[in-house]
Amino acid sequence: MRNGINSRNILKKKWSLYGKEDMMGKALVLLSGGVDSTTCLHMAIKKYGASNVSAFNVSYGQKAQKEIDCAKYTCNKFGIQFYEMDLSQVFQFSNCYIVSGKDEIINKDNEEQSKSGEWSSGNGGYVPFRNGVFASVGAAIAWSIYPNEEVEIVLGSQYNDIFNADTTPEFCRKMSDAMQQGTFGKITLWAPISEMSKDEVIRTGLSLGVEYDHTWSCYRNSEKPCHKCGSCIDRENSFRKLGLVDPLCKE
Amino acid sequence: MMKILVLMSGGVDSTVLLYQAVDRVGVNNVIALNLFYGQKHKVEIDSARWQCEHLGVELIEADLSKVFVYNKNCSSLLAESKNNEISTYVPYRNGLFLSYACVVAMQIGCDELHYGANSNDCASNIYPDCTEEFVNAQSWAIYQGSGKKIKMRAPFNLLKKNEIVKKGIKLGMTKEEFSHTWSCYTGGEKPCGVCSTCIERKNAFSENGIIGID
């Protein structure tokens, strides 16, 4: 559960490139291993310093084990503790297709799905209100691993996701209020990319040294991305907008 | 017809809340949710089960104890706790419960989520996730994050325990029905009778003329 402590010293030097380590407080980042959350991890490291950052992952039966491997890679690289929590059993209600057990993966981009209403019903690619649960799980973990400290739970919800009600900037503000009230004012929510588009996220990440070849977005769990699911299409388009090729598409 | 999901611990407050929901929308439109968080006092789950079976309400149970595995040394309520101090705050437990309940409510198509925080809990600062400010903030988060589908209500947050018991009596609850609720924090077969919640409960019953329930 605790990875890569030994690589910390090597990386200390590297950190001066990204910013000072004098920000008070700690950050606990929800890290899936995808583009958004990996970028958020780097933003948290810049703000707080790697030694004040931890990451956690909540698995709820997603298909892509590859994503977790990417998350572990990044944590290892920076000597960051990675807390994994398997909540697939309590998400058994979900009938959405990201969760294992349902085979059809719809080859449409995300926006198209939102228009057709597949998301809002909970039958699309989304477990409704999951970010509320993830943020709450983060608060519970943060209280335990950083007792009596001020902690920001970092959530990589992002503008492209705006059609999911629990990723809007409005929701993030309300959720942060609730977390602050419920933890003696110690724990808040930070959603640093909530108002960025995905290409802006990638641009920010590149300036912070994110290795996007070690992130995974595809809903399928094969060796290479499928290039067909909504998540792949979004990602590849965003790189294209920056005049770049997704490193996972390079041969 | 409106559907209500009741967060049901098996204690007095959430049990009266369940009876009230059934009274409002009928037994077929109420679903109870009991969440295990690794607490010592598992008897309260039996109480929740008894009540739901008795009323004919569907009960959903889920185990969230994994979330608190890193908290072994903090809260004395947890079975794994090595802490003997009186610290019954389980970090952000109620916030997690409500967020998870919102996921369930959306999946099964409920319109409202009912939460049994009472005014004693709300007024004290022991449990920050029971205060009125928290209840307000959390209900906003749930309303926004559910696409304005789920309304969270804490109808007892201005009532004291004795007033909640009174409400239960008004709803027709019998002494036997009250006896199948559990409040004690210790993990014994019978309530300890001396912890704060045991005393509060006993007083609330006797003030309403219900004698002989522990």
Side-chain angles (χ1 to χ4, degrees):
Chain A
M1 218 153 273
R2 299 179 174 191
N3 295 308
I5 309 290
N6 42 4
S7 55
R8 186 171 281 170
N9 286 336
I10 308 162
L11 285 152
K12 254 217 159 116
K13 224 175 181 179
K14 225 174 169 181
W15 276 120
S16 51
L17 293 173
Y18 297 142
K20 298 172 285 187
E21 293 199 18
D22 60 358
M23 181 63 96
M24 292 285 284
K26 309 279 182 194
L28 177 64
V29 183
L30 177 66
L31 184 67
S32 69
V35 167
D36 299 337
S37 66
T38 307
T39 306
C40 284
L41 181 73
H42 284 71
M43 293 171 94
I45 289 170
K46 187 182 179 186
K47 187 169 174 186
Y48 291 102
S51 59
N52 295 313
V53 175
S54 300
F56 75 112
N57 177 275
V58 179
S59 65
Y60 52 100
Q62 301 101 313
K63 289 189 167 185
Q65 174 62 33
K66 265 225 129 116
E67 248 193 321
I68 299 264
D69 294 340
C70 287
K72 284 181 181 163
Y73 170 87
T74 308
C75 287
N76 255 317
K77 180 179 161 190
F78 295 117
I80 281 173
Q81 285 185 9
F82 185 51
Y83 297 88
E84 281 180 89
M85 196 157 281
D86 181 358
L87 292 185
S88 42
Q89 231 177 349
V90 300
F91 276 105
Q92 62 186 332
F93 285 101
S94 173
N95 47 3
C96 93
Y97 64 75
I98 291 182
V99 177
S100 309
K102 278 223 156 185
D103 278 332
E104 80 274 27
I105 284 177
I106 303 165
N107 294 330
K108 277 188 246 179
D109 72 21
N110 288 344
E111 209 167 331
E112 210 176 309
Q113 279 191 30
S114 87
K115 279 180 199 145
S116 63
E118 287 166 63
W119 295 87
S120 53
S121 64
N123 292 322
Y126 207 74
V127 180
F129 207 71
R130 67 177 194 190
N131 281 335
V133 174
F134 295 162
S136 304
V137 169
I141 297 175
W143 185 275
S144 309
I145 63 172
Y146 296 129
N148 295 315
E149 293 200 65
E150 291 192 3
V151 189
E152 278 190 321
I153 307 300
V154 186
L155 200 64
S157 64
Q158 183 243 337
Y159 184 76
N160 271 359
D161 293 332
I162 203 127
F163 39 80
N164 295 318
D166 68 339
T167 60
T168 60
E170 184 65 18
F171 164 73
C172 293
R173 273 194 291 277
K174 301 291 186 199
M175 193 67 209
S176 187
D177 282 352
M179 288 159 71
Q180 196 168 9
Q181 291 294 347
T183 57
F184 301 100
K186 295 280 186 202
I187 298 174
T188 49
L189 185 67
W190 183 36
I193 60 168
S194 68
E195 293 179 75
M196 290 184 193
S197 62
K198 204 169 205 93
D199 51 299
E200 284 173 318
V201 171
I202 292 171
R203 194 191 296 134
T204 306
L206 289 172
S207 76
L208 294 170
V210 176
E211 294 178 61
Y212 285 111
D213 48 335
H214 289 284
T215 60
W216 186 262
S217 307
C218 181
Y219 289 147
R220 295 185 168 92
N221 197 21
S222 37
E223 258 312 295
K224 299 246 163 196
C226 72
H227 310 298
K228 284 178 190 142
C229 69
S231 189
C232 275
I233 293 170
D234 264 2
R235 176 190 167 115
E236 289 163 22
N237 283 343
S238 304
F239 274 100
R240 211 166 295 133
K241 274 185 202 161
L242 295 171
L244 300 169
V245 178
D246 182 349
L248 291 185
C249 295
K250 290 176 185 162
E251 286 308 314
Chain B
M1 191 61 160
M2 187 175 68
K3 258 180 135 178
I4 300 175
L5 182 71
V6 179
L7 201 48
M8 167 77 174
S9 68
V12 176
D13 303 343
S14 63
T15 301
V16 176
L17 197 62
L18 185 70
Y19 280 76
Q20 185 181 265
V22 169
D23 186 61
R24 265 180 65 195
V25 296
V27 71
N28 295 325
N29 294 305
V30 177
I31 291 154
L33 176 66
N34 181 272
L35 299 175
F36 180 66
Y37 60 97
Q39 70 266 42
K40 288 173 187 164
H41 44 299
K42 291 185 184 141
V43 196
E44 69 175 5
I45 302 173
D46 295 334
S47 298
R49 286 179 188 151
W50 187 92
Q51 294 290 355
C52 289
E53 202 176 327
H54 175 68
L55 288 171
V57 167
E58 186 189 338
L59 174 66
I60 297 169
E61 295 182 36
D63 182 351
L64 293 176
S65 56
K66 275 182 189 166
V67 176
F68 301 103
V69 291
Y70 302 110
N71 196 48
K72 279 177 193 161
N73 301 317
C74 298
S75 176
S76 59
L77 288 194
L78 302 175
E80 299 279 306
S81 170
K82 291 166 197 142
N83 191 351
N84 296 320
E85 285 172 50
I86 312 293
S87 67
T88 48
Y89 174 63
V90 180
Y92 206 60
R93 183 197 68 189
N94 295 347
L96 174 71
F97 279 11
L98 289 164
S99 294
Y100 179 70
C102 181
V103 170
V104 175
M106 289 196 81
Q107 298 282 353
I108 59 181
C110 289
D111 310 280
E112 288 194 1
L113 165 60
H114 288 197
Y115 170 48
N118 69 41
S119 76
N120 293 12
D121 295 336
C122 290
S124 70
N125 273 328
I126 312 168
Y127 303 116
D129 54 357
C130 286
T131 60
E132 204 184 338
E133 289 83 1
F134 166 74
V135 168
N136 286 338
Q138 182 72 38
S139 43
W140 271 112
I142 282 179
Y143 186 61
Q144 287 293 339
S146 65
K148 304 185 179 173
K149 282 193 180 129
I150 309 284
K151 293 194 180 78
M152 172 190 144
R153 302 204 189 282
F156 296 164
N157 72 339
L158 296 175
L159 300 184
K160 295 198 182 91
K161 195 142 220 130
N162 57 350
E163 294 168 317
I164 294 172
V165 171
K166 197 174 183 181
K167 193 142 222 165
I169 293 169
K170 237 180 167 174
L171 289 164
M173 280 182 73
T174 63
K175 186 176 167 182
E176 196 209 357
E177 286 167 337
F178 275 115
S179 75
H180 287 278
T181 59
W182 183 268
S183 305
C184 181
Y185 282 150
T186 60
E189 286 284 300
K190 295 207 161 194
C192 70
V194 290
C195 73
S196 60
T197 169
C198 274
I199 293 166
E200 189 191 25
R201 170 193 169 95
K202 213 165 199 169
N203 290 342
F205 282 145
S206 64
E207 278 168 45
N208 283 287
I210 302 174
I211 314 287
I213 302 180
D214 284 326

